[in-house]
Amino acid sequence: MAMEMAMMYQMKWLVALLMTLFISTAAGQTQLPDEATSALPSTPSPTTPQPSLPKLPLAVHYETLCPDSVYFIRRRLYDALLDNDWWNRTDLKLYPFGKAAFYNNTETGQLQVFCQHGDKECELNALHACILENLELRQAFDLIYCMLDSYFNNIEVCAVHLKLDVSRAQECKRTRKTADILLPYGKETLSLQISFVPTIVFDGNFQPYEQSSIRYNFERHFCHEYQQKFNIKLPTCG
């Protein structure tokens, strides 16, 4: 009789244990009852680094007082890069030189520069060059876009509007000779022997006979060049 009572007690204990395990498992737990356990910290899954977006090299050779340059940068280039979210898809280079040229001043023995729209344009081209050298590219591009809104290219007004510190760019223009500032930009532009401003170059491939089409159908050309180089059709490209 005592043995039967002991067996019944063990059976009841086993049933109670199994019921507890069932309830614990159903609640999403795996611990045994009354087991001293602590939750282990979850191991973070390794994050896969996001691949960098391929960028299409794009060079724009322009002049600060050229109406066609102003129109292209403000109404074509700027809108296309921002509206289509192409800024991170573009390796942009700006060359504020245009149809200018260098010459040696025989009286002073110094290198000098003359520009298509006069001395004022040379000075403004040099100021744009200093902006490009001393500001982060996106900041420089926004500042140049703002400055090209008027003939005066007012850097102070635009700097206040964009909340930018332009002191280094102004110091660059104030302390260096205009020809020296423009020399690296001029070398790049003069090597192309351009006949019209602005001149737009995709991926280092200058296409002189396509310039008019590129200027007025910029987005279509950008889509074509990007897909041809990377075999990627951008979302906003038809």
Side-chain angles (χ1 to χ4, degrees):
M1 186 68 177
M3 184 175 294
E4 290 178 355
M5 292 291 291
M7 290 180 63
M8 289 179 61
Y9 176 81
Q10 289 178 356
M11 288 293 293
K12 290 181 179 180
W13 181 86
L14 182 58
V15 170
L17 176 62
L18 291 174
M19 289 295 294
T20 304
L21 286 173
F22 176 79
I23 294 171
S24 298
T25 304
Q29 302 173 359
T30 57
Q31 293 93 338
L32 292 174
D34 300 326
E35 181 182 10
T37 59
S38 59
L40 296 175
S42 59
T43 303
S45 58
T47 56
T48 304
Q50 294 295 325
S52 59
L53 300 175
K55 293 188 175 185
L56 179 66
L58 171 65
V60 178
H61 300 260
Y62 72 101
E63 297 167 342
T64 52
L65 296 182
C66 166
D68 290 306
S69 293
V70 173
Y71 180 83
F72 175 74
I73 291 175
R74 286 187 56 85
R75 300 294 175 226
R76 300 288 183 181
L77 179 63
Y78 189 90
D79 290 347
L81 295 186
L82 271 65
D83 292 349
N84 295 290
D85 197 24
W86 288 347
W87 179 258
N88 292 326
R89 301 275 190 175
T90 308
D91 181 13
L92 179 64
K93 297 286 190 300
L94 297 174
Y95 296 93
F97 190 79
K99 296 176 70 175
F102 297 105
Y103 68 97
N104 287 314
N105 188 319
T106 54
E107 294 183 358
T108 64
Q110 293 182 336
L111 181 70
Q112 293 189 328
V113 60
F114 67 89
C115 298
Q116 183 172 207
H117 299 94
D119 292 341
K120 180 180 176 64
E121 182 172 75
C122 287
E123 299 304 320
L124 288 173
N125 286 350
L127 178 58
H128 280 220
C130 283
I131 290 169
L132 290 165
E133 289 179 17
N134 289 280
L135 271 72
E136 184 271 330
L137 180 58
R138 178 58 191 273
Q139 293 178 335
F141 188 49
D142 288 343
L143 182 60
I144 286 171
Y145 171 85
C146 176
M147 291 170 63
L148 289 177
D149 188 39
S150 71
Y151 176 79
F152 299 101
N153 275 251
N154 197 316
I155 187 173
E156 288 86 2
V157 171
C158 288
V160 170
H161 174 69
L162 296 169
K163 298 181 174 60
L164 294 175
D165 180 5
V166 295
S167 57
R168 290 177 59 188
Q170 291 174 310
E171 180 72 8
C172 162
K173 178 64 180 67
R174 185 168 54 249
T175 59
R176 296 168 59 193
K177 296 182 183 300
T178 298
D180 293 338
I181 295 171
L182 291 176
L183 187 58
Y185 301 90
K187 285 182 176 179
E188 292 291 332
T189 302
L190 291 170
S191 68
L192 300 178
Q193 298 181 341
I194 65 175
S195 60
F196 194 87
V197 181
T199 286
I200 301 101
V201 181
F202 290 106
D203 198 22
N205 180 25
F206 175 41
Q207 303 175 68
Y209 302 110
E210 291 291 322
Q211 288 302 305
S212 178
S213 178
I214 293 172
R215 284 193 298 273
Y216 293 104
N217 302 281
F218 175 75
E219 290 175 284
R220 177 168 62 82
H221 282 273
F222 188 98
C223 289
H224 171 75
E225 295 289 339
Y226 197 95
Q227 185 168 3
Q228 185 177 57
K229 182 175 179 63
F230 302 114
N231 196 28
I232 297 174
K233 185 174 183 180
L234 295 173
T236 55
C237 293

